[in-house]
Amino acid sequence: MVDRTSGVPAYRQVADQLAAQISTGELAPGAPLPSERELVDLFGISRPMVREAVKLLRMRGLVDVEHGRGAFVRTPGQVVRLSRNRLTRAARSLNKGAFLGDADAAGFTPSVSVRVRVETADERVARLLEIEPGNEVLVRDRVMSANGLVVQLAVSRLPRDVTLGTALEEIETGPGGAYARLEQAGHVLVHFDETVSARMPSVEEQAQLQLPEAIPVIAVTRVAYTADRPVEMNDMVLAANRYELHYRLPAE
Amino acid sequence: MVDRTSGVPAYRQVADQLAAQISTGELAPGAPLPSERELVDLFGISRPMVREAVKLLRMRGLVDVEHGRGAFVRTPGQVVRLSRNRLTRAARSLNKGAFLGDADAAGFTPSVSVRVRVETADERVARLLEIEPGNEVLVRDRVMSANGLVVQLAVSRLPRDVTLGTALEEIETGPGGAYARLEQAGHVLVHFDETVSARMPSVEEQAQLQLPEAIPVIAVTRVAYTADRPVEMNDMVLAANRYELHYRLPAE
DNA sequence: GAGTGGTCTAGACCACCTT
DNA sequence: AGGTGGTCTAGACCACTCA
């Protein structure tokens, strides 16, 4: 029953009580919440207010609702740690690209679908690749899956003059991946810049990554540099409930 | 007016139409949405359904609602880029710690409130610091503000044997910050490990960081290592609408 | 005081899942 | 068939903001 004198909205009281039961384990992961009609009777409030309470729990990521079945305490998924320092040449030469390498390490069956196209650089792309807006860039649009589940989206862009006449314009870049082809073409990589941010997914990303509610995405933009200039940028989008990023920094 | 035959819920149609107007700029950042009663008349649906539509826009981060005033298109804030490679010794010796250094770079007035206490290590802390669970750790709990606004939470923990009898147990660690004191005490830092993840904030974090709706936090756990062993771990929580992290990785 | 969003009721019917 | 959640109505009153 809710306390009508406290000034706290009834639906918040219900949400808080259920949240407390979840955090104590009284409602364990996977366990069903009482049905909405049951909560109506239990707390003596109307169904719209019960639904408001459940919606709060959904937004906090505590509960998943299945139409026709019920509401269930969310079970935390397993997090994969991505070591970003794996981009180094030694590690690269061993495998066919960063993602397939991670697959070996984490023990899942990877698959990648690639689309290749040519675009003209917009303001942001031009700035990151240090070229003129409107210049041609090769775009490699990739959807990475693990065990059939989409887990990562990546779009990489390269100045067209770097890719012309190389396997980088093909679907299959060959052994060692895109970076190997770049170095083969004389573009020796010196360092990478990675910019990491987080945000809520767009509706398209949420659908593609099959994200539960209240799960943000990690957006990583990586730029690969030779001694002279940037030769590739890569926009990655990862489900934050499945990934964490790991960096090792020297104290120098 | 909504299309009753499409099968798409009325509140979604309203949300999508408003979202479209926002993305085209017809409703510019800062502009007020029509009031709920106006939307009732405009679309011919009930107020609960109008509110459902507006709630969707809030959850997508498109709109901020102010009680008694109205709903307004959200204005994107300015993002501060944190260069993580600034932890290197050369950069460190120039300033009084990472946060105060960032303040200089970004041109804001910083302030830090610190609380110091002693705890016993739980399972996670023990694992990261490579000590026994139950061992004493010194905890430095910090709230960082810029221009009076809380922008960062940080909790760092150090094995007690490292801090005993040093300024690390004081509120003020002195010039160069905590890392300078560590090295002064003979703990020469060799490298840092940073693990980056993202999630929705807890209710406390949301309040403390004054986060708008639908803004995740970036959680960074940094561990500082000497040649022998870890000597500090630092759990940082950043508002994802205000920060991005930048890492530079050598291609080796 | 008039307008705004916030809370709340008591229903109705639909869509989905299970047995 | 009988349970679940999803959509929807037509009201009411409260809390906040601004002129």
Side-chain angles (χ1 to χ4, degrees), chain A residues 12-223:
Chain A
R12 280 216 49 166
Q13 293 184 43
V14 174
D16 290 346
Q17 286 192 38
L18 291 171
Q21 288 182 37
I22 291 171
S23 77
T24 62
E26 194 177 337
L27 282 169
L33 265 57
S35 78
E36 292 179 357
R37 273 96 174 165
E38 282 169 356
L39 290 170
V40 165
D41 296 340
L42 277 170
F43 289 94
I45 61 174
S46 65
R47 185 146 90 102
M49 289 305 103
V50 165
R51 286 182 59 75
E52 204 78 13
V54 173
K55 181 162 282 179
L56 258 184
L57 298 175
R58 297 170 64 163
M59 295 199 313
R60 293 187 200 162
L62 295 175
V63 150
D64 287 310
V65 174
E66 295 175 47
H67 190 177
R69 303 221 319 122
F72 304 87
V73 179
R74 182 179 289 179
T75 306
Q78 206 189 314
V79 176
V80 175
R81 183 194 186 103
L82 293 186
S83 262
R84 307 308 294 170
N85 299 69
R86 279 254 210 86
L87 297 167
T88 53
R89 193 167 301 122
R92 240 181 305 134
S93 63
L94 297 175
N95 58 48
K96 320 106 198 161
F99 180 68
L100 298 181
D102 292 330
D104 291 348
F108 55 83
T109 307
S111 64
V112 181
S113 99
V114 186
R115 290 185 328 162
V116 179
R117 63 178 189 277
V118 174
E119 261 181 13
T120 56
D122 64 17
E123 191 276 321
R124 170 175 174 270
V125 168
R127 179 168 43 81
L128 289 175
L129 290 179
E130 297 173 20
I131 59 179
E132 294 302 317
N135 281 12
E136 278 194 343
V137 289
L138 185 83
V139 183
R140 301 182 55 85
D141 203 328
R142 310 196 287 306
V143 178
M144 281 94 142
S145 307
N147 299 329
L149 234 81
V150 174
V151 293
Q152 223 186 101
L153 309 174
V155 180
S156 72
R157 295 182 167 84
L158 305 93
R160 192 73 198 286
D161 68 283
V162 164
T163 64
L164 267 172
T166 73
L168 287 163
E169 305 220 339
E170 312 299 325
I171 297 286
E172 290 289 345
T173 50
Y179 290 147
R181 290 298 82 65
L182 274 172
E183 301 213 316
Q184 217 170 27
H187 302 286
V188 179
L189 301 180
V190 172
H191 72 268
F192 301 93
D193 273 0
E194 292 211 354
T195 304
V196 182
S197 59
R199 57 178 169 76
M200 292 313 285
S202 68
V203 281
E204 295 81 23
E205 288 167 341
Q206 183 158 22
Q208 237 179 334
L209 295 170
Q210 296 171 71
L211 288 173
E213 290 180 308
I215 298 293
V217 292
I218 301 173
V220 183
T221 299
R222 180 175 65 218
V223 182

Side-chain angles (χ1 to χ4, degrees), chain B residues 3-197:
Chain B
D3 174 5
R4 243 66 219 239
T5 67
S6 70
V8 178
Y11 70 92
R12 280 215 51 163
Q13 293 184 42
V14 173
D16 290 346
Q17 286 191 38
L18 291 171
Q21 288 181 36
I22 291 171
S23 77
T24 63
E26 195 177 333
L27 282 169
L33 264 58
S35 78
E36 292 180 356
R37 273 91 172 170
E38 282 169 356
L39 290 171
V40 165
D41 296 339
L42 277 170
F43 287 94
I45 61 174
S46 66
R47 185 145 91 102
M49 289 304 103
V50 164
R51 285 182 59 76
E52 203 77 14
V54 173
K55 182 163 283 182
L56 258 184
L57 298 175
R58 296 170 66 163
M59 295 198 314
R60 293 187 200 162
L62 295 174
V63 151
D64 287 309
V65 174
E66 296 175 47
H67 190 177
R69 301 219 322 122
F72 304 87
V73 180
R74 181 178 289 181
T75 307
Q78 207 189 312
V79 176
V80 174
R81 184 195 187 105
L82 293 187
S83 263
R84 306 308 292 170
N85 299 69
R86 279 254 209 86
L87 297 166
T88 52
R89 192 166 302 119
R92 239 180 307 134
S93 62
L94 297 174
N95 58 48
K96 323 108 200 160
F99 180 68
L100 299 180
D102 292 330
D104 291 348
F108 56 84
T109 307
S111 64
V112 182
S113 99
V114 185
R115 290 185 327 166
V116 179
R117 62 178 190 277
V118 173
E119 261 181 14
T120 57
D122 63 17
E123 191 275 323
R124 171 175 173 270
V125 168
R127 180 167 42 80
L128 290 175
L129 290 179
E130 297 174 18
I131 59 179
E132 294 304 317
N135 282 11
E136 279 195 343
V137 289
L138 185 82
V139 184
R140 303 182 55 85
D141 204 328
R142 310 198 285 307
V143 178
M144 282 95 141
S145 308
N147 300 328
L149 235 81
V150 174
V151 294
Q152 224 185 100
L153 308 174
V155 180
S156 71
R157 295 183 168 84
L158 305 93
R160 192 73 198 285
D161 68 282
V162 164
T163 65
L164 266 173
T166 72
L168 288 163
E169 305 220 340
E170 312 300 325
I171 297 286
E172 291 289 346
T173 50
Y179 289 146
R181 290 297 82 66
L182 274 171
E183 301 214 315
Q184 217 168 29
H187 303 286
V188 179
L189 302 180
V190 172
H191 72 267
F192 301 93
D193 272 1
E194 292 211 352
T195 303
V196 182
S197 60

